[in-house]
Amino acid sequence: MNKAIILAGGQGKRMKADMPKPLFRVLGEPMLEWVISACESAGVSDICVIKGFKGEMIDEYLNGRYTTALQAERLGTGHAVMQAIPFLEGDTSGNTLVLCGDAPFIDKATIEGSLAFHEEQGNAVTVITSELDEPFGYGRIIRSADGSVSGIVEQKDATDEQKAVKEVNSGTYWFRTADLIGLLGKLTNNNAQGEYYLTDTIAIAIAEGGRAGAYKSDNPDIIKGANDRRELLEFNNYARMKVFEKHMDNGVGFTCLDGVIIERSVEIGQGTEILPGTILRGNTKIGSGCCIGPNVVIENSIIGDRTVVNTAQIYDSEVEPDVNIGPFVHIRPDCHIGKESKIGDFVEVKNSSIGEKTAIAHLAYIGDSDVGRKVNIGCGTVTVNYDGITKNRCVIGDNSFIGCNTNLIAPVKLGKAVYTAAGTTVTRDIPDYALAIERGVMKINEGYTIRKLKTKQGK
Ligand code: UD1
Ligand code: CA
């Protein structure tokens, strides 16, 4: 079986943070996750992550999803891969892909293309390369007269002639697993940096009569690794634009990209318009013909076709088609909003289901409630769902009309087509078709203002 080893031991000193570099995020996902998902998409799921600096943070992030191995001392890329020998020995039948956890733009096509090339050529090792106009800092690919690869020379070890080579090592390689184990045993640290260079495996394989190949990609982005926060910002911008381009090609409209961030995992239907300040995260799915924004955050939620969301935040919820949300709305986790309903300004909804064609037009809090269809929730309605110890539910039947400033003291159940008078505090269940009114008797004190003024003026 084919496997992958991802090097994620780096500290990234220039990031100036107490965190392994591969955990820095590009478009919401750690760079490590980008590399993992490229492997997974190419069908390589048996993965060992090499951790080093703050390795426990890598474990915490991966949460048992993949094998990890610790490189206790940073003695070079070859030394890092040596830490995975027990992982490799488990099954030596296939090939092993080695990648860097801080180069997120490696992709499925490159992984698959290079594997086919590797197998076709019968190589012990195949290095993935690309040409850079500014190759400074990268290992240069040294080719023989017949075009085959003879070795990789690091910047610090290169002659002037070698430094002029523009084809560089991406840091990603395919090895025949059985050969890799043998090659690792032969690495030495005789070089300018005193490190065990994984790149030396190429010359060693050739010296032993094996074949080494270079698979040249015409996409130099696959090489890019982020070393500081400026580069990380560049990566974010790059990844962001790629996402926008994909959606535009699918028929999604963008008037202006200011403040718009859409994570890779988000799906958006044709004909939807995205306005400035829209942030769409996680497993979010937006339907077609929607208008989203300005100033919207939607996370892990489903939004139905033709729904309008303006200046709102929606988390872990589902909104059906033709709903009108906003402005200034907060939909907290576990809500289901029925079709053709309206959630208007200054409304918060939490852990509730709202039936179709229901209107909660302004200034209300609906928490832990089941609201039926065609209900009108008056301005200032509050479900009093928390007594300081437990959260309780409110149920409001279809076609009910909840007067302004109604307090519903949960748990309470209102039947079908119930009315509550404005200002009512509901403390008991209300049967179908009833009106509940709970108010003090209104008194009118005539001439009050005039008497008050006279008192003040001492008359
Ligand atoms: C390495 C390659 C170089 C290539 C470049 C691509 C070697 C000797 N050189 O350069 O040819 O062009 O990558 O980016 O391999 N790491 C560890 N433990 C270590 C050393 C490194 O885990 O002891 C990890 C780093 O965190 C990083 C990756 O290996 O993810 C590459 O290391 P880095 O130091 O960035 O690469 P270079 O030595 O610059
Ligand atoms: Ca180095």
Side-chain angles (χ1 to χ4, degrees):
M1 192 177 33
N2 293 332
K3 312 178 184 210
I5 296 172
I6 303 177
L7 307 186
Q11 172 176 6
K13 284 202 183 82
R14 283 187 278 157
M15 293 289 186
K16 304 210 169 126
D18 246 7
M19 185 166 87
K21 190 163 62 165
L23 291 185
F24 278 87
R25 289 174 189 259
V26 170
L27 220 49
E29 290 168 73
M31 294 193 277
L32 176 60
E33 193 62 52
W34 285 73
V35 178
I36 289 172
S37 64
C39 293
E40 289 276 7
S41 69
V44 184
S45 344
D46 192 10
I47 297 172
C48 177
V49 177
I50 310 294
K51 58 196 175 178
F53 177 75
K54 297 259 170 188
E56 65 284 0
M57 291 180 78
I58 300 274
D59 282 322
E60 197 184 322
Y61 174 73
L62 290 175
N63 194 20
R65 284 190 294 153
Y66 300 101
T67 307
T68 62
L70 178 68
Q71 184 193 21
E73 269 181 296
R74 198 181 159 88
L75 302 178
T77 47
H79 180 256
V81 176
M82 287 176 203
Q83 313 312 309
I85 289 177
F87 164 77
L88 294 173
E89 283 172 343
D91 170 12
T92 59
S93 63
N95 298 291
T96 295
L97 177 68
V98 175
L99 322 95
C100 296
D102 53 5
F105 300 132
I106 183 74
D107 58 15
K108 175 178 192 268
T110 308
I111 295 174
E112 288 176 346
S114 56
L115 175 61
F117 176 90
H118 174 74
E119 288 184 323
E120 213 174 86
Q121 296 225 319
N123 292 338
V125 48
T126 298
V127 55
I128 299 174
T129 73
S130 194
E131 286 205 11
L132 296 183
D133 289 338
E134 289 175 28
F136 183 86
Y138 289 93
R140 306 300 205 284
I141 302 299
I142 308 304
R143 291 193 184 252
S144 315
D146 66 355
S148 68
V149 177
S150 59
I152 301 177
V153 180
E154 293 305 299
Q155 177 77 34
K156 286 184 178 147
D157 302 298
T159 63
D160 285 345
E161 196 188 336
Q162 289 167 335
K163 282 178 188 158
V165 172
K166 289 192 174 328
E167 185 181 11
V168 303
N169 170 18
S170 67
T172 306
Y173 323 75
W174 276 108
F175 291 90
R176 260 201 308 256
T177 304
D179 290 341
L180 175 57
I181 296 170
L183 292 166
L184 290 172
K186 291 175 187 123
L187 290 180
T188 62
N189 59 355
N190 269 328
N191 51 56
Q193 300 189 83
E195 288 183 356
Y196 294 90
Y197 290 169
L198 182 62
T199 45
D200 287 347
T201 52
I202 303 241
I204 298 171
I206 294 167
E208 292 194 331
R211 282 187 64 97
Y215 175 85
K216 191 151 126 191
S217 161
D218 50 17
N219 175 14
D221 299 329
I222 58 157
I223 294 187
K224 285 187 183 162
N227 292 308
D228 56 30
R229 287 172 189 264
R230 289 177 185 225
E231 283 174 0
L232 200 63
L233 177 62
E234 253 176 56
F235 278 32
N236 272 288
N237 285 332
Y238 171 85
R240 202 176 148 241
M241 281 313 298
K242 287 264 172 222
V243 168
F244 294 152
E245 284 162 9
K246 176 186 81 181
H247 289 301
M248 286 189 272
D249 291 345
N250 290 340
V252 177
F254 296 87
T255 320
C256 164
L257 297 173
D258 288 357
V260 179
I261 300 173
I262 301 177
E263 292 182 5
R264 284 198 295 170
S265 43
V266 173
E267 292 173 36
I268 309 179
Q270 196 174 317
T272 286
E273 281 291 322
I274 304 290
L275 299 177
T278 294
I279 298 177
L280 306 177
R281 294 203 199 107
N283 295 319
T284 288
K285 208 172 162 183
I286 311 278
S288 15
C290 296
C291 183
I292 310 293
N295 303 320
V296 164
V297 176
I298 303 178
E299 203 173 282
N300 300 323
S301 295
I302 296 173
I303 309 294
D305 296 343
R306 298 172 303 278
T307 281
V308 173
V309 185
N310 168 14
T311 313
Q313 303 215 346
I314 303 177
Y315 299 91
D316 304 298
S317 290
E318 188 173 346
V319 177
E320 290 188 0
D322 300 295
V323 174
N324 201 327
I325 294 177
F328 311 109
V329 164
H330 189 182
I331 297 186
R332 291 168 53 201
D334 302 313
C335 287
H336 185 102
I337 312 291
K339 64 181 183 193
E340 295 172 55
S341 57
K342 174 179 170 57
I343 316 287
D345 39 286
F346 308 105
V347 171
E348 175 176 331
V349 188
K350 184 212 85 175
N351 187 26
S352 293
S353 70
I354 309 297
E356 61 183 75
K357 296 190 171 147
T358 283
I360 313 174
H362 16 236
L363 294 156
Y365 171 62
I366 304 296
D368 304 310
S369 298
D370 298 301
V371 180
R373 56 200 297 274
K374 292 190 174 171
V375 171
N376 188 77
I377 303 275
C379 180
T381 296
V382 171
T383 56
V384 184
N385 60 324
Y386 186 47
D387 59 12
I389 298 165
T390 51
K391 302 263 165 80
N392 297 298
R393 291 195 82 80
C394 291
V395 177
I396 301 174
D398 296 345
N399 299 100
S400 290
F401 184 98
I402 307 303
C404 291
N405 270 319
T406 295
N407 289 314
L408 299 161
I409 313 292
V412 73
K413 188 166 187 277
L414 281 58
K416 279 188 285 190
V418 155
Y419 272 72
T420 68
T424 296
T425 293
V426 178
T427 50
R428 280 180 286 137
D429 291 354
I430 306 173
D432 295 350
Y433 311 112
L435 162 72
I437 177 162
E438 181 275 337
R439 269 182 205 159
V441 178
M442 182 173 151
K443 289 180 206 149
I444 293 188
N445 193 338
E446 289 200 33
Y448 170 83
T449 315
I450 294 166
R451 286 196 299 281
K452 193 176 170 95
L453 285 172
K454 281 183 177 161
T455 313
K456 198 176 170 193
Q457 289 160 9
K459 286 180 191 164

